[in-house]
Amino acid sequence: RQQNSFTIKMKQLEDNILSKLAEAEGDITEDVALIEGLEESKKVSDDIEQQSALAKKTQEDIYTTSEKYRTVANRSSLLFFLMNDLVKIHTYYIYSLEAFQHVFFRGIAIATKDKNCDEDTQQTEVDDQSNDDENDAYELSADHLEARCTELLESITLTVFNYIRRGLFEVDKLTVASLLTLKILINEGKMDPTEVDYLTVVKASLDPGNMGPLHEWLPENIWPKIKSLETMERFKGL
C-alpha cells in the first residue's frame, strides 16, 4: 500500500511539472516561480525515492523473516484443517476459525512464556555496543530461529491437540491422535501418502487368485487385502 502511495505521489508530481511547463510563457529560465517549483518538486521526488527504497528493503526483510516461520504456518494450517474435518467423525466436533485462532495464540504465548522463564534464570549484562555488535546480535538471533520455530511447533501442536482432546468421546481419542500423527509424518515427508492410505483405508484386490496352502491358516477375507499390497512399490516381486 505504501509503495502504491509513492507511485501515485510521483505521478502527481510529474503531472504538476508538465502542467507548469505547458502554462509557462516566455523564457522559462527567467520564471523564478517555475524554477522554484521545479526545484521543490525535485526535492520531494528525491525524498519519495529514498522512502520507497527503504520501504522496499523493509518489505524484503519482512518477507525473508516470514519465510523462516513457514514451517510454523504450515503446521498451523494442518492443525486447523484437521479440526475442521473432525465433524466427519461426529457432528458434535464443530470448531470455528475464531476458536482455532484463540488456541493458536495461546500456544504461542505458552512458548514465549517458557522462553522468558529460561532467560530470567540467566544473568545478563547491558553494555554499550557499536553498530557491528548490534548486527552480530541480530545474526545470533537468526541462528537460534530454528530452535524458536521448533518450540513454537511443539507448543502450538500440543496446545491445539489438548484443546481438541477435551471435547472428544473416549472412543475417538486414539483415532484423532493417529490422524494427527499420520498427517504430520506425511507433511514432513517421513511417510508415503500411498502407504498411509493402504494402512487406513485397507484396500482389497478385486482378483486375488487362489490362496493355495495359505487357506490352512490365513482367513479368506485377509487374502485379497494382502494381494492388494502388490501394487505398492516396496512389495513388488515378493
Side-chain angles (χ1 to χ4, degrees):
R1 181 180 298 178
Q2 190 176 31
Q3 290 288 355
N4 289 338
S5 66
F6 288 153
T7 302
I8 293 172
K9 185 64 177 178
M10 288 293 294
K11 183 65 169 60
Q12 291 175 344
L13 286 174
E14 292 174 359
D15 292 343
N16 186 40
I17 292 172
L18 292 175
S19 176
K20 288 182 177 180
L21 290 174
E23 295 173 358
E25 298 180 356
D27 189 355
I28 60 174
T29 59
E30 296 180 358
D31 192 334
V32 178
L34 175 60
I35 294 175
E36 289 178 348
L38 293 176
E39 289 177 349
E40 181 64 25
S41 297
K42 179 65 168 60
K43 182 179 178 181
V44 174
S45 176
D46 291 341
D47 290 341
I48 290 177
E49 287 183 1
Q50 292 178 1
Q51 294 176 21
S52 178
L54 180 60
K56 185 177 181 180
K57 178 64 169 58
T58 303
Q59 186 176 8
E60 291 175 353
D61 291 342
I62 292 174
Y63 176 79
T64 301
T65 302
S66 63
E67 280 297 307
K68 294 177 181 178
Y69 285 93
R70 182 169 290 277
T71 54
V72 180
N74 184 273
R75 174 67 62 83
S76 302
S77 174
L78 182 151
L79 292 169
F80 170 73
F81 285 108
L82 173 68
M83 287 179 60
N84 196 51
D85 287 341
L86 291 182
V87 70
K88 298 176 182 178
I89 297 177
H90 200 291
T91 54
Y92 284 176
Y93 306 151
I94 299 178
Y95 302 92
S96 65
L97 176 60
E98 183 179 358
F100 174 79
Q101 288 177 328
H102 178 74
V103 181
F104 171 76
F105 287 122
R106 185 193 303 169
I108 295 177
I110 292 173
T112 304
K113 181 179 179 181
D114 292 341
K115 183 175 183 297
N116 291 337
C117 289
D118 292 339
E119 290 176 350
D120 290 341
T121 61
Q122 301 175 354
Q123 183 177 2
T124 58
E125 297 180 354
V126 180
D127 300 319
D128 292 334
Q129 297 179 338
S130 63
N131 291 334
D132 291 339
D133 292 332
E134 292 177 356
N135 291 334
D136 291 341
Y138 176 81
E139 291 299 327
L140 184 63
S141 64
D143 291 337
H144 288 81
L145 187 58
E146 184 176 355
R148 172 62 176 163
C149 287
T150 301
E151 292 175 359
L152 288 172
L153 281 175
E154 294 176 353
S155 179
I156 293 171
T157 302
L158 185 60
T159 303
V160 172
F161 176 71
N162 284 334
Y163 173 78
I164 296 173
R165 179 176 55 83
R166 290 185 306 170
L168 296 176
F169 293 117
E170 195 66 30
V171 69
D172 294 326
K173 289 183 178 180
L174 182 58
T175 300
V176 174
S178 299
L179 280 174
L180 176 59
T181 302
L182 292 174
K183 284 181 177 293
I184 290 176
L185 291 174
I186 292 174
N187 191 55
E188 294 179 349
K190 296 179 179 179
M191 288 194 72
D192 188 335
T194 304
E195 295 178 359
V196 174
D197 191 37
Y198 270 92
L199 176 65
T200 55
V201 178
V202 191
K203 296 182 178 180
S205 174
L206 298 178
D207 186 19
N210 196 315
M211 291 181 62
L214 294 177
H215 75 277
E216 297 178 1
W217 59 273
L218 184 69
E220 186 175 349
N221 64 320
I222 300 298
W223 176 240
K225 299 175 183 178
I226 294 177
K227 286 291 290 184
S228 68
L229 293 175
E230 291 181 337
T231 59
M232 297 178 63
E233 186 66 30
R234 69 175 60 213
F235 289 101
K236 285 183 179 179
L238 295 180

